[in-house]
Amino acid sequence: MEYVCTKCNARHSIDELLYTCPSCGGVLLLNDRDFAEYKKIPGKKWQKLFDERRASDCQALKGIFRYYELMAPVLEEEDIVYLGDGHSPVILASKELRENLGIDFAFKHEGQNPSASFKDRGMAGVFSYLRAMVRKHGWDDILTVCASTGDTSAAAALYGAYVGSPIKTVVLLPEGKVTPQQLSQPLGSGATVLQIPGVFDDCMKVVEHLASHYRVALLNSKNSWRILGQESYAYEVAQEYRWNMKNKALFVPIGNAGNITAIMSGFIKMKKLDIIDELPRIFGVQSHHADPVYQYYHQVKENRVYHPVEVKPSVAQAAMIGNPVSFPRVQKLAAEYEALGGNFNVVQVREQDIMNAMIIANRHGHIACTQGGECLAGLFHAKQQGKIAHEFAILDATAHALKFSGFQEMYFENTFPPEFGVVPKENLCNRPHSVISEERKKSLSAGEYAEEAARNIAGFMGLAKR
Ligand SMILES: *Cc1c(COP(=O)(O)O)cnc(C)c1O
Ligand SMILES: [Zn+2]
């Protein structure tokens, strides 16, 4: 395997930890030099291989490395780190939800990964590679760092804690801009947690400075091993639908744009190997409070100019990024996607719609986070605009709802700061009801208390006597 620069096409050895091209500074992707050989194998044979591997007892091949040949066939079994990553359930949206929206779709619940977001896929990739490097070079001390909107650090700290010596993990967070759950995760895994004032984009600048001046391993999605690991999402979706992507559309939230890069890259590989006949349509989704990729693709094709944006507070906090590191990768892969007959779009949604959509999804038995809500809002928007009609949609619910319960609480309590511009709909709010007061409880015997509490509940719920 080798690194390939997205800007100047230079190739570099994977024997070194590289994040950007030493020749031109461009971002990198990984390339398998045997890919031409793989093309000689019929697509059906690949399908059979991956289908049979479902039954494998080999722990290393149970997670994202089920697709070993398409991931990193340079790694040894002993290097592969598996913590239960990947193979997140694809859940058909509840009947009522599909009927109400008039669209057929499913959620892929990435919150059921070990650290409760899709970031584990990429970390399984990076940490497996790091273990191979440690073994090969006999490194005795390796410090990993990442900037994070919350979930990257949770995943990095988890995998770092599992792998242990000689790897130590440091994470850098924007103070007050990650949820309490996301902060508790790296703390609980024993990582060194550092905070700075500002937003993710500020953390990223600091980490980049660190990586170019000191000996550290950068775990942000600039690291192309993470992109590689996250390609597994595409392979799983294809396998879930028996390698048939006809009339399918995927919705993916865009933050730093690593995930959408990985998903496009995975589908491109499968198309080139004839594992799938058709590429699914891809819809990136961005909030109007952090929408540089939407702003770019929204312009007429010939005159597109890229500008980073200043982000405003967003409930899709994990995607609140004004200058996505992987934007050049998206540009390159979206062009390739379309050249292969695929279709790439970006839609923009409002904060209000993201919150409503998340709550509606979860009131129908899903476990969508705010970014999952963003996908549902994007699907709804695409439907209203006639951008999607007869396709079946697969929405990336990127993290577990519990990580973002603070936003749910702000919605239910109507305490959103005005910058978000979110006003709750009363019919979507839910609050606990008190059955009996503490004072009343004190004045009653145990038996009377149970009886009165039950009577209050019966009255409240309008229960009939038996
Ligand atoms: C990281 C993250 C995103 C954004 O993904 P990118 O690869 O940065 O575009 C979306 N949702 C969740 C929950 C995330 O953790
Ligand atoms: Zn280059």
Side-chain angles (χ1 to χ4, degrees):
M1 291 182 80
E2 61 194 0
Y3 296 110
V4 183
C5 175
T6 52
K7 202 163 159 190
C8 76
N9 272 321
R11 275 138 214 274
H12 304 283
S13 160
I14 58 164
D15 231 20
E16 249 187 286
L17 292 173
L18 288 183
Y19 315 108
T20 48
C21 174
S23 326
C24 79
V27 282
L28 306 168
L29 284 168
L30 283 155
N31 178 48
D32 190 335
R33 276 185 292 194
D34 287 339
F35 198 77
E37 289 299 310
Y38 288 177
K39 279 191 183 172
K40 294 179 188 158
I41 301 169
K44 288 265 180 279
K45 250 201 159 146
W46 285 113
Q47 294 177 358
K48 191 156 174 278
L49 173 72
F50 298 137
D51 287 345
E52 282 172 2
R53 208 172 269 155
R54 269 183 161 156
S56 172
D57 280 334
C58 170
Q59 171 153 325
L61 300 179
K62 278 184 186 296
I64 63 164
F65 285 96
R66 175 189 291 173
Y67 314 98
Y68 179 76
E69 293 76 3
L70 303 187
M71 303 292 290
V74 292
L75 299 179
E76 301 289 335
E77 186 181 328
E78 62 189 291
D79 297 324
I80 292 177
V81 189
Y82 168 69
L83 294 184
D85 33 82
H87 309 297
S88 57
V90 179
I91 306 296
L92 185 63
S94 89
K95 186 159 178 281
E96 195 178 280
L97 189 54
R98 280 178 287 133
E99 282 173 2
N100 288 350
L101 299 186
I103 319 170
D104 271 336
F105 66 102
F107 284 102
K108 188 162 166 64
H109 281 307
E110 288 285 274
Q112 285 178 246
N113 275 292
S115 79
S117 87
F118 74 84
K119 297 293 201 299
D120 293 323
R121 296 175 182 277
M123 289 305 165
V126 176
F127 277 89
S128 300
Y129 167 68
L130 284 179
R131 278 227 286 216
M133 295 289 278
V134 164
R135 200 165 46 81
K136 183 166 179 197
H137 298 289
W139 291 341
D140 54 7
D141 188 24
I142 172 159
L143 189 69
T144 69
V145 291
C146 66
S148 176
T149 54
D151 294 327
T152 298
S153 52
L158 181 71
Y159 281 77
Y162 182 82
V163 170
S165 172
I167 294 179
K168 290 196 207 82
T169 312
V170 177
V171 303
L172 184 65
L173 304 173
E175 200 167 341
K177 302 281 187 334
V178 306
T179 73
Q181 295 82 349
Q182 290 170 325
L183 177 60
S184 82
Q185 288 186 290
L187 289 174
S189 296
T192 303
V193 178
L194 307 172
Q195 302 184 324
I196 59 167
V199 293
F200 170 83
D201 296 293
D202 299 304
C203 294
M204 195 63 218
K205 282 183 202 136
V206 174
V207 165
E208 282 183 344
H209 192 87
L210 265 179
S212 48
H213 293 86
Y214 300 89
R215 276 205 46 188
V216 291
L218 185 69
L219 295 190
N220 279 93
S221 52
K222 212 164 221 191
N223 186 321
S224 32
W225 294 92
R226 269 194 52 204
I227 303 292
L228 194 71
Q230 289 173 201
E231 286 178 6
S232 56
Y233 182 93
Y235 306 143
E236 288 175 21
V237 169
Q239 190 169 27
E240 178 80 23
Y241 293 99
R242 295 173 180 269
W243 313 104
N244 180 3
M245 287 289 103
K246 193 176 159 70
N247 287 332
K248 303 281 189 310
L250 272 69
F251 284 74
V252 183
I254 302 181
N256 223 0
N259 202 26
I260 197 145
T261 294
I263 292 171
M264 278 197 284
S265 174
F267 280 113
I268 288 172
K269 278 191 198 168
M270 286 189 283
K271 179 80 171 68
K272 286 184 175 167
L273 294 176
D274 287 329
I275 299 175
I276 54 172
D277 295 332
E278 277 185 54
L279 289 168
R281 296 179 70 196
I282 304 253
F283 288 85
V285 190
Q286 292 206 298
S287 158
H288 62 130
H289 281 182
D291 62 355
V293 184
Y294 167 77
Q295 291 299 344
Y296 177 81
Y297 282 98
H298 188 59
Q299 301 164 48
V300 280
K301 203 167 191 167
E302 296 68 36
N303 310 323
R304 283 175 185 157
V305 188
Y306 172 73
H307 295 292
V309 305
E310 191 89 32
V311 295
K312 297 198 195 86
S314 173
V315 297
Q317 195 168 262
M320 201 178 104
I321 294 173
N323 190 14
V325 159
S326 285
F327 181 74
R329 289 172 171 149
V330 172
Q331 247 180 334
K332 185 181 155 83
L333 290 174
E336 196 177 345
Y337 207 76
E338 301 216 302
L340 286 169
N343 174 251
F344 174 77
N345 308 264
V346 186
V347 294
Q348 184 210 49
V349 294
R350 308 192 67 79
E351 290 290 311
Q352 178 76 54
D353 300 328
I354 298 174
M355 276 314 293
N356 292 350
M358 176 187 88
I359 288 165
I360 289 169
N362 295 343
R363 288 176 74 98
H364 286 87
H366 298 284
I367 49 164
C369 62
T370 43
Q371 294 68 223
E374 186 174 23
C375 283
L376 180 55
L379 171 64
F380 201 54
H381 182 85
K383 165 108 204 291
Q384 277 180 332
Q385 298 217 325
K387 290 183 177 151
I388 176 168
H390 58 285
E391 289 98 337
F392 182 91
I394 298 130
L395 313 189
D396 190 344
T398 46
H400 200 288
L402 286 176
K403 285 206 190 209
F404 296 86
S405 58
F407 289 112
Q408 172 185 293
E409 191 177 311
M410 283 199 262
Y411 191 96
F412 291 170
E413 303 297 329
N414 193 7
T415 51
F416 265 109
E419 314 80 271
F420 287 88
V422 175
V423 181
K425 279 189 172 180
E426 190 49 38
N427 65 331
L428 293 179
C429 290
N430 201 5
R431 302 177 189 93
H433 308 276
S434 282
V435 169
I436 199 162
S437 71
E438 185 73 43
E439 224 164 71
R440 183 74 186 146
K441 185 185 175 203
K442 276 190 203 135
S443 73
L444 298 170
S445 73
E448 288 168 339
Y449 165 63
E451 194 195 321
E452 181 162 323
R455 203 178 331 117
N456 289 353
I457 293 171
F460 184 70
M461 301 302 294
L463 300 181
K465 274 224 151 114
R466 41 190 269 163

